[in-house]
Structures are given as C-alpha cells and as structure tokens.
Amino acid sequence: MSAENRDTSKMWRGVGQGKLILLGEHAVVWGTPALAAGLDQGALAQVYWAPDASHSELTLYSSDKILAQLTDRSDDPLGVALRALLETMQITEHVAAQVILQLPAGAGLGSSAALAVALARALAKMIDRADDDDLIDAAVMASETIFHHSPSGIDQTAARLGGLFCFERGEPAVITPLHVSPPQLLVCQAAPGASTARQVEAVASLRARNPEQFEHIEALITSLVSGAREALEASDWPRLGELMNLNHGALASMGVSTSALDHACHIARDAGALGAKLTGAGGGGCVIALVTDETRERVLHAWREADMTCFPAQIKTNA
Ligand code: PMV
C-alpha cells in the first residue's frame, strides 16, 4: 500500500508498564540476578499514519501537560529513540505518535522502557506484526540503548511482562516469573533523577579500579537477591525489609546513593517501614519502602511532611 492510501483516521494503541527494582540494580548489569516488579502505571501510546507530514512526530504528555513535542529528525534523545524504533521496525512512512506517561520520567521507574514498549506495540499493530515479539524486543532495545547505552534488559522485561520476576542478564536473559503475594511497597521521589548511563559508567569505573572488592560486593548482592526471593516466596516481610536495607547499603558503597536518597530511606524506616532502599540507577530519583497495613499511612505522611512526592506502588501481579 502506498503512503497516500494509508487510512489516516485509523489509530493503533499500545501499553508499556513501569517497573521497580526490588533488589539487585547495577549488579544486574554485570550478570548477577535481580528482582523486579512491573507497575500498573506506565505509558499509553497511540499512533496514526501521517502521509502528509514532513516528518514522523511524537508528542509526550503527562496527566496534565505536554512534556515534549519532537520529530524523528530531532537530536534530543527522545527524537533519536523515535528514529531508532522506526528504523528497527523498517517503517519508512511518516507517523504521528502520542504517548501519555503515567510515571515521573528519569526517576528510576522505567519510564523510557515503558514508553518504548508502548510505542513499539502500537507500531507493530500498525504494520500488522502485533505478534512479532522479536521485532518489538529489538525495537525497544534500540530505543533503550539511546538512553542507557548498555541496558541489562530488566526495564524492558518489566515493561513488557509486568508481574514480579527474577531477571538474569544473558543471551537470552533468564526471566523467572514469581507467583507470590505482592509486597506492599511505597514509592517516594526524593530528588530529580540522574542519567542511568552516567551512573552505570561511574560504577563500572569504580569496579575497574577495585576488582577484588567488587567480587565481594557481587557475592553480597547475589546472596541478598537469593535471600529476598526466598523471603518473597514465604511472604516473610520483615526479612525482605532487612535485605532491602542491606542492599541500599551496598548501593551506597558503590557511590550511587545521595544524601536525599539516604534521607528518604531514614524517614521511611523511622516511620516504621520494614525496609527502604533506592531503586534504579540512583544519583537521584526514587526510594521504595516496604510497609504493612499498620505503617503505610505513617510512612506516606512522614515523606509528605518532608515535602517529598510519594505514592503506593500498584504492582501488576502475574496472572
Ligand atoms: O534506568 P533506571 O534508573 O530504571 O535503572 C536501570 C537499572 C540499572 O541496573 C542501573 C541499569 C540496567 O540496565 O539494568
């Protein structure tokens, strides 16, 4: 079908989920297992053919405003990511895309992967390849590489699958869905997010300078993740909380915590959280806290008192 014959009134939709890393971020890049959960909140995309437009274009919205408006010619990372998605999917005709982001961007909640999965799914439907998971994965990986340089793949796995899962990087990655009761987690945006690529690079260079010490850190995180998996399977929340606290300490030792993230963790623990840690790349961004019915409101209140934005995580459970 030629571009002129495209039905411009037709629209295709796709969704992608955000994520929380429960334990194991950063070390997952070097191949140790990590635990993550897909969130109910994520990104919603809709795409149309735009044969009369001079470029493909993307408008990104939050719930109440336009966050960005750009074309596939833009040098903005989002424009480059749009180009990477279209090229990987071999879409040469112009499209108009709109994405609603339901999560704060760049805060460690997987917004870029959610956006890429939502867009790739909508575009795949548009070209009659909705069932081509390999194509969707390749397009999302191309987009994520723009933001993360060498992503482990944990974000796009969460954005695509949702649920709670254990992830181990590899060719292919080992993804084990966990059919467990979801923990009660709260999210606090303690500070503006930092670049994941830069955080990962900083850890890589610290690791290169201290290879022996990092062998111990790697062994520690491997054991924290395996203990946390057992705790999740047993719904042993106090133990899971302790392991999260230990993981935060390990991440701080790797230089990716900040005083704002530490402060948010201390506020949560002081208000009764069973555990609290940074989630994602760190350097800013979000903290998660494990709570119970009794402590949930106290922790939310304590964060709000400190002027921090916070909300309960809606974990998308495995069916
Ligand atoms: O980009 P973020 O903040 O969602 O973090 C990604 C998790 C890292 O382990 C730091 C990087 C990766 O690719 O796994």
Side-chain angles (χ1 to χ4, degrees):
M1 195 193 293
S2 76
E4 295 75 46
N5 293 333
R6 296 289 190 195
D7 182 352
T8 54
S9 66
K10 264 185 107 176
M11 179 239 286
W12 292 265
R13 288 201 169 103
V15 297
Q17 282 145 240
K19 66 96 188 48
L20 292 176
I21 297 182
L22 268 67
L23 279 94
E25 53 275 89
H26 282 287
V28 70
V29 174
W30 333 317
T32 67
L35 292 170
L39 293 173
D40 260 352
Q41 304 101 316
L44 311 173
Q46 49 191 49
V47 297
Y48 313 78
W49 290 116
D52 299 333
S54 53
H55 314 293
S56 286
E57 56 183 44
L58 167 65
T59 311
L60 184 64
Y61 300 87
S62 66
S63 59
D64 58 352
K65 63 171 192 264
I66 293 183
L67 298 173
Q69 203 159 21
L70 40 82
T71 74
D72 58 341
R73 308 275 170 91
S74 163
D75 287 336
D76 180 285
L78 208 50
V80 183
L82 175 64
R83 196 153 67 233
L85 276 163
L86 294 171
E87 278 173 12
T88 311
M89 300 183 90
Q90 295 180 325
I91 298 175
T92 50
E93 293 153 44
H94 296 142
V95 304
Q98 296 165 348
V99 179
I100 302 175
L101 211 50
Q102 302 165 313
L103 293 166
L109 301 180
S111 58
S112 66
L115 174 136
V117 167
L119 266 178
R121 280 184 169 152
L123 292 167
K125 285 183 195 159
M126 193 180 205
I127 57 171
D128 279 332
R129 294 185 59 185
D131 296 330
D132 193 340
D133 287 342
D134 290 344
L135 179 72
I136 293 172
D137 276 349
V140 171
M141 197 58 164
S143 172
E144 278 293 271
T145 303
I146 310 298
F147 295 102
H148 291 193
H149 295 184
S150 172
S152 65
I154 194 167
D155 283 21
Q156 54 263 48
T157 300
R160 207 163 50 75
L161 296 185
L164 271 154
F165 61 92
C166 186
F167 177 93
E168 206 169 332
R169 186 176 197 169
E171 291 292 338
V174 182
I175 299 158
T176 315
L178 302 178
H179 300 279
V180 296
S181 311
Q184 267 207 62
L185 293 169
L186 305 177
V187 182
C188 167
Q189 195 175 1
S195 148
T196 298
R198 275 205 287 278
Q199 291 293 109
V200 170
E201 269 164 33
V203 172
S205 85
L206 186 64
R207 183 169 177 241
R209 293 196 298 279
N210 301 281
E212 255 182 60
Q213 289 69 23
F214 266 74
E215 272 180 31
H216 294 288
I217 293 181
E218 202 169 316
L220 168 64
I221 293 177
T222 303
S223 107
L224 295 177
V225 169
S226 111
R229 185 171 166 176
E230 284 165 19
L232 270 172
E233 281 163 351
S235 298
D236 185 346
W237 309 130
R239 173 143 177 78
L240 180 62
E242 271 178 9
L243 295 167
M244 286 168 61
N245 288 338
L246 287 166
N247 195 182
H248 181 78
L251 288 161
S253 78
M254 288 152 57
V256 297
S257 193
T258 63
S259 51
L261 292 170
D262 290 344
H263 186 48
C265 288
H266 287 293
I267 289 176
R269 292 176 199 145
D270 290 347
L274 295 169
K277 65 179 278 292
L278 71 85
T279 187
C286 290
V287 154
I288 52 172
L290 179 66
V291 292
T292 58
D293 287 341
E294 291 71 43
T295 56
R296 176 190 144 111
E297 286 312 314
R298 279 215 308 271
V299 174
L300 287 170
H301 178 74
W303 275 335
R304 287 185 186 128
E305 285 282 290
D307 272 339
M308 292 177 175
T309 306
C310 51
F311 55 92
Q314 311 288 343
I315 293 181
K316 196 161 173 70
T317 46
N318 295 305

